[in-house]
Amino acid sequence: METITLGGGCFWCLDAVFSALKGVDQVCSGYAGGHVVSPTYHQICTGTTGHAEVVQVSFEPTVISLKEILTVFFVLHDPTTLNRQGGDIGTQYRSAIFYHSETQKPIVQMVMDEMKAIWSAPIVTAVSPLDLFYPAEDYHQHYYAQNPSQGYCQAVIAPKMVKLRKQFADYLG
């Protein structure tokens, strides 16, 4: 197994997307990149902890590669908007990649370089080694799967899932 931690706006969206991919063993919503120990969702929402909403994705690299995981990541969120995704605004919604090993770093850079061709604005995704990851509260885990008819899920996540099925059908489990 290999693990990567990704921030691309609301973690509910990323959880839904990566949970649908074959080769992905586990997706855990949480917080990374901040300075407060064991932050809560309420603290994260203030934008003062420095954390990003992230998902930690554990996957089998013989089934789906890190490059494929990162390609899905860069296509299904907007890596060109600083500290926001759609209506979600704040540093907690920043685009970020927290790599887990030095061998992941050049792959991250390679994919970012490739993705520059599909975006008209510069990519602002922050890249850094993972320091600490804090799992989010239980009610955030697999939120879309448990609440598919909730308003945010219908308005924001469902269209991402449609895009995932159209553009990455071969990656679906």
Side-chain angles (χ1 to χ4, degrees):
M1 279 298 164
E2 190 170 342
T3 304
I4 189 88
T5 300
L6 305 169
C10 177
F11 47 32
W12 295 347
C13 295
L14 295 178
D15 180 324
V17 164
F18 290 107
S19 292
L21 301 179
K22 65 183 171 190
V24 170
D25 181 60
Q26 184 177 356
V27 178
C28 183
S29 294
Y31 315 113
H35 57 271
V36 172
V37 176
S38 298
T40 65
Y41 182 68
H42 177 68
Q43 290 172 308
I44 298 296
C45 289
T46 67
T48 61
T49 69
H51 291 87
E53 287 191 15
V54 297
V55 290
Q56 196 158 76
V57 181
S58 297
F59 59 98
E60 176 52 60
T62 61
V63 178
I64 188 165
S65 68
L66 177 58
K67 182 179 182 198
E68 291 166 326
I69 293 280
L70 293 170
T71 299
V72 170
F73 171 71
F74 278 110
V75 170
L76 290 179
H77 89 290
D78 184 348
T80 69
T81 55
L82 187 62
N83 299 329
R84 79 175 298 159
Q85 286 296 304
D88 294 327
I89 301 170
T91 57
Q92 67 270 32
Y93 300 115
R94 68 187 178 270
S95 179
I97 298 172
F98 298 92
Y99 56 88
H100 288 233
S101 71
E102 286 299 316
T103 59
Q104 289 180 335
K105 189 176 178 181
I107 298 168
V108 168
Q109 193 58 56
M110 176 190 68
V111 174
M112 282 182 70
D113 290 344
E114 290 174 2
M115 291 295 115
K116 289 176 184 176
I118 70 166
W119 292 100
S120 58
I123 291 175
V124 296
T125 303
V127 177
S128 60
L130 180 68
D131 182 17
L132 294 170
F133 170 80
Y134 298 100
E137 296 80 355
D138 287 344
Y139 69 93
H140 289 298
Q141 306 303 328
H142 312 296
Y143 190 85
Y144 179 71
Q146 295 176 33
N147 303 282
S149 58
Q150 192 262 2
Y152 184 91
C153 293
Q154 286 297 302
V156 179
I157 303 172
K160 286 183 186 281
M161 298 304 289
V162 169
K163 187 174 182 179
L164 176 71
R165 287 190 288 276
K166 280 184 181 178
Q167 290 191 246
F168 297 102
D170 293 345
Y171 293 6
L172 298 177

